[in-house]
Amino acid sequence: MESLGVLMMHPMIPYLQEELDKRFRLFRYYDAANKKEFLSLHSPSIKAVVGNSIVGASAELIDALPNLEIVSTNSVGLDKVDLRKCRERGIKVTNTPDVLTDDVADLAIGLMICTLRHICASDRYVRKGLWRGLGEYKLTTKFSGKTIGIVGLGRIGLAIAKRAEAFDCPVSYFSRSQKSDVKYKYYSDVVDLAANCDILVLACPLTEETYHIANQVVLDALGPKGVLINIGRGPLVDEPELVKALLEKRVGGAGLDVFEDEPVVPEELFELDNVVLLPHVGSATVETRIDMADVVVKNLEAHALGKPLITPVCL
Ligand code: 8YV
């Protein structure tokens, strides 16, 4: 297995780096001062790429790696992997589904409650001494019982729906096609879903089809009492339109874990108490990141031994 050269694109938890180091020949792309030189020097040895949601395997990178056999991304999202190129070149792809579902769904519910009940803003109120100075915090909005519209009813969307049911929240959803095995109300049009829910949750993958799925029309359908939650990818939302809609109070609030140009977050949002901003931490718990690392390592191990992959992506 030591002959498998693995290119790591971005720093990840030490555990993953150690486990990869133990088994394979690890090349740290992010450490290289001159990336071009680094690649031309090591490309003959590199057979695997480990990326994540920040840096993955672009067409340009894949072209620079003639012996690449597998891309194993430390994420469930595949938007940073050029899947078309992988298909063309016969390069295998794996990701980290399932192990992060609970964390991301927990965070989605947390964002909904935080946004409606102003948990972060109330906390700031106490820390700034305003409770003592100005008295009680203003009234907020009830969460239990709100109608939740989920865009994308995959593993994470379903886990959010299951949690929402415990709060007596009616769930409806939009996806490419209606699911035969769920009881939730289906909308074939995302605008209709937005118009008929209190909280719109983006839980779908980022693809050409879903880019800016939450556009101005959808945001206006969601309306001044509606709240947008995004735990998917930043570019699912037309961010300038969302900022405008929030500032003009055409949308009631937003809970965002992801942004169009991370780590850049529109500063106009910093002052809004009805907006919760998180630094892309959906899967960021010790337990889950270790589980994700194990999936990456097991996939590469299986590949090196010629065994079936653990979580192959169908290309
Ligand atoms: C991580 C993610 O933030 O799984 C995804 O698609 O966005 C996250 O789990 C990321 O890959 C960590 O680097």
Side-chain angles (χ1 to χ4, degrees), residues 52-53 74-77 100 233 280 283 289 292:
N52 63 7
S53 65
N74 189 27
S75 64
V76 69
L100 47 65
R233 284 289 184 266
H280 197 150
S283 70
R289 285 291 166 84
M292 289 166 69

Side-chain angles (χ1 to χ4, degrees), residues 23-40:
R23 295 165 174 81
F24 312 109
R25 202 168 152 214
L26 193 58
F27 297 93
R28 291 174 171 82
Y29 182 77
Y30 54 90
D31 266 350
N34 186 331
K35 312 269 188 237
K36 234 178 163 176
E37 252 176 40
F38 180 85
L39 278 188
S40 57

